[in-house]
Structure formats: structure tokens, C-alpha cells
Amino acid sequence: MLAFVRRALPVAVLAASLLAQQPDPAIFKANSKLVLVPFTVARGKFLAADIQPSDVILRENGHPREFTVFQGPNTANVVPLELILLFDSTSYSASRALALHSFWDAKAAYEFLKDEDEPAIHSILEKNGIDIRVSVYHYADRQLERLSQATRDPKELLSAFRRLLDPIPAGQGRLTLLPGGFDLAAPTKGLTVYTSAWLWESIVASLKDATDSPEASARRIMFVFSEGYSATTVPHRDVAEAAVALGVPIYPVLLNRSKYVEHPFGVTNVQGPYSAEAPSSTTGPPRYVFAPPAASLGDMTDGRVYFPAHLDRKEFVGILQGARDAELAKYVVGFVPDPSQPTRKRRLEVQLKSKSAGKVVGGYREIHY
């Protein structure tokens, strides 16, 4: 959960690594119009749905501060919710050599594209009259492209999905390495490790682009559709901390998991988080295959990881609806920062005035504003 990422975020360095054609700010700032801190409250085995503003303390660098926004599962006039969808649309040519075998085939992976329609999109956008929007991005190799800004228009989203597998125009959305990163494909031209796509850079750049949008007051969650590997060696903890600083939980949707579990070389005798037992015809210790690195982003950002066997329309819609409903079940406190105050790192933490009210889950951010 969020406890895993409570060390200082190198936001100033991360900000300099976003889309190359965009001006790089000296440091990332929280959106000046609204800062939001989501959390849930556990009461025994259940989530509490009766928390009131008077039950909550918001601390900034350890000191109580006022908040002007409060909403919960039963609150009217909630802040709009944006679903950020990021897809790996990398396409390999038959002549391309692979240093390690990859099962990636974007066209085959995104089965939902075969029968996506407006009613399916409506079912994602409609929830108790709440303003829900979707933005769409895709990345390939070291390029990122926004296919749709946050919108409630099903026709616009259908158009974005239909362009999902189109090549990104040459020279557009070129990414630069995050600090400390290394391009695994660089030493030997034509060789690719895992995939040739820059997953970590694409996540951070699309997060920055979405949160810089004119719509300042939206809550946001991100879905990353990929195999979960990257062609760069950026620590995924840094990526998770960037998402936490922006207040965006990440929901990795990792495809082809079963194929890697069945692969004879993709196993280890050590079991770990999200590991899965691999089939074996030999005796001895059980063999396991680890989940790809992106799997950890769910827990580290207060999101969740999915391993769908098939991403058909039913599964695709179900994942988005489930995460949407989970986010809307959270409480949110927020405020508009004072623009006259100097920008500095601030720690925000939600606490309850009484232990009897329950236990806060999440409710922590380290950001600059």
C-alpha cells in the first residue's frame, strides 16, 4: 500500500524526463487549483461508509490544516473522476531479433477492439450521475501519443480505440530516459530485451500530461495495458512515487501471463509476490515464475493489478467498472493551495480524531506546491 512509498520523491528529476518536445519545468508542482488526498476507512473487516468531515484531521508536515473539499461514498456533487488508459501498441517486425522471447502481439492482445461499441463505453461512463471521463494514450518503442483528452463522448472514445494500433507519427511524442535509466536495446542495434517499449517513461509522461490538463479538479486513476516489462532499467519505485505525488493510483492490466508461466525458461524456485506456479513434469521443489515488474505498481500506488487471460470486451469493461467503483467508494479531502506561498515539498496525511471511527487506509501524499 502507500506505506511502501513514503520516502522523498525526486519529482524535480522526474519532471525533466517527460516528453522531449514539451518545456520542462524546474520542478513538478501539484495542480494549483486543487489538491486531493483519497483514503478509505477500515472498521474491522468492513469499510466504514459513515465518516463525516468532523471525524477527519488533515495534517500538512505534521500540523493540522483546513480542507475545503470532503466527499465520501454517499456524498452528493462529487469531484469528477478521470480514467487514464495507457496502452502498449508496440508492433514487432518479423525480421527483428529478440534477446529474450516475447509473446507480445498488440492486435491479438486487445480483443475488445473487435467488438467495442457505444453501449459498452456508456456503461463505463455512467455511474449514479457522477461525471466520469476517459482519456486514452498509447506508446510504442520510445514514443507516446495522446489519442483522446478526457471526454465523456463515446464517439470520441471509439475513434481513439480505432486508432489504438496505428503507428505513432515519426518524430512525435519522443520520450527521454528517466534519471538513472538505461536503454537495454541500445548496446546492440536491433536487439530488444523483453519489449522495445519504454513503459516507465510512458507512464510518467502520460501522468504528467493528464494532470496538466485544463480540468484541474478531477480525481484520476490510471490503467496500464501491457505485458509489464520495459526496455529501460528505471527503478519502478520511482515511477510509483511519481504517481503517488500526483495522487493517481495505478492499475496494471498485465497480459500474456499464462504464456510466461508455461514457458520452460521463465521460472525460478523462489516464490514471491504475484508469482505463479509453472507446470513441471519433474519432481523436486515447485517452480514459480515472477510477475513482471509493473505488477508491483498496483500495491505501491494504492491501486490493484489484473492478470486477465483474455482482454475481450466483457473483461475490459469489467476491469474499468470495478476500479471505477472502488475509487468512488473512497473518501477524499482536498483544498486549493495558496498561490502566494512558496513552493516546497509538503507531506499530507489523513488521520481520524477517534480510533473508534476506524483505521485510515491510504490517505498519504508527498508533493510540491
Side-chain angles (χ1 to χ4, degrees):
M1 302 299 292
L2 292 181
F4 291 135
V5 290
R6 292 191 175 188
R7 62 184 178 87
L9 170 71
V11 288
V13 187
L14 284 173
S17 63
L18 303 174
L19 288 174
Q21 73 271 23
Q22 294 182 351
D24 296 329
I27 193 167
F28 167 75
K29 295 182 180 180
N31 195 297
S32 60
K33 294 184 179 180
L34 190 63
V35 172
L36 299 173
V37 184
F39 65 99
T40 55
V41 175
R43 190 177 293 155
K45 297 181 180 179
F46 303 96
L47 294 180
D50 58 353
I51 300 299
Q52 301 298 317
S54 58
D55 299 320
V56 175
I57 301 173
L58 177 62
R59 294 189 181 274
E60 180 182 291
N61 293 337
H63 304 289
R65 67 149 297 146
E66 294 182 353
F67 53 88
T68 54
V69 173
F70 177 88
Q71 67 179 57
N74 301 315
T75 306
N77 302 318
V78 300
V79 176
L81 175 65
E82 178 184 345
L83 313 184
I84 306 169
L85 311 186
L86 175 63
F87 296 87
D88 183 353
S89 61
T90 304
S91 177
Y92 297 122
S93 64
S95 61
R96 196 168 207 172
L98 295 177
L100 292 178
H101 184 66
S102 172
F103 296 101
W104 185 244
D105 180 342
K107 185 176 181 179
Y110 301 139
E111 299 176 40
F112 73 94
L113 295 176
K114 299 175 183 177
D115 57 359
E116 192 61 80
D117 57 18
E118 286 193 36
I121 295 177
H122 268 297
S123 69
I124 298 167
L125 298 171
E126 297 298 328
K127 180 69 176 181
N128 298 334
I130 297 171
D131 186 353
I132 299 169
R133 306 155 189 189
V134 177
S135 58
V136 183
Y137 297 79
H138 70 150
Y139 66 100
D141 295 314
R142 58 179 297 176
Q143 290 179 275
L144 174 73
E145 181 182 24
R146 181 177 61 202
L147 296 172
S148 171
Q149 291 185 334
T151 180
R152 292 182 47 81
D153 185 350
K155 288 183 170 52
E156 186 175 347
L157 291 173
L158 274 177
S159 174
F161 290 145
R162 288 165 183 160
R163 293 180 286 125
L164 190 59
L165 301 180
D166 291 350
I168 299 176
Q172 178 174 321
R174 191 166 178 82
L175 298 159
T176 55
L177 277 171
L178 290 169
F182 177 70
D183 183 0
L184 293 170
T188 305
K189 187 176 181 180
L191 276 182
T192 305
V193 178
Y194 293 118
T195 80
S196 65
W198 287 25
L199 171 63
W200 309 128
E201 288 76 9
S202 298
I203 291 174
V204 175
S206 52
L207 279 172
K208 179 64 163 55
D209 184 75
T211 55
D212 275 351
S213 70
E215 179 48 67
S217 60
R219 302 164 61 183
R220 295 177 174 89
I221 59 177
M222 168 179 263
F223 300 84
V224 181
F225 299 87
S226 70
E227 283 190 322
Y229 299 103
S230 179
T232 65
T233 59
V234 175
H236 52 279
R237 180 177 293 276
D238 289 349
V239 178
E241 289 179 343
V244 171
L246 291 164
V248 182
I250 296 180
Y251 290 77
V253 182
L254 304 181
L255 306 170
N256 296 332
R257 174 76 166 134
S258 60
K259 296 179 181 177
Y260 284 97
V261 171
E262 295 166 0
H263 196 282
F265 302 111
V267 295
T268 175
N269 286 332
V270 181
Q271 188 175 8
Y274 302 115
S275 61
E277 189 169 355
S280 173
S281 59
T282 62
T283 59
R287 300 189 305 161
Y288 297 92
V289 57
F290 284 125
S296 61
L297 295 179
D299 280 345
M300 295 172 74
T301 63
D302 205 23
R304 176 187 171 186
V305 61
Y306 297 89
F307 298 100
H310 301 282
L311 195 63
D312 55 19
R313 180 172 65 177
K314 181 179 179 181
E315 190 73 19
F316 177 69
V317 171
I319 288 172
L320 298 189
Q321 289 177 333
R324 173 202 67 190
D325 294 347
E327 186 66 20
L328 293 175
K330 294 179 181 179
Y331 293 92
V332 174
V333 294
F335 58 91
V336 177
D338 183 352
S340 66
Q341 296 296 314
T343 296
R344 60 189 176 94
K345 185 176 73 174
R346 303 168 195 262
R347 300 185 305 275
L348 298 171
E349 186 169 12
V350 174
Q351 296 179 346
L352 296 178
K353 293 182 179 179
S354 172
K355 292 183 178 180
S356 62
K359 179 181 178 181
V360 173
V361 180
Y364 185 91
R365 290 184 67 180
E366 284 191 354
I367 59 177
H368 286 75
Y369 63 82

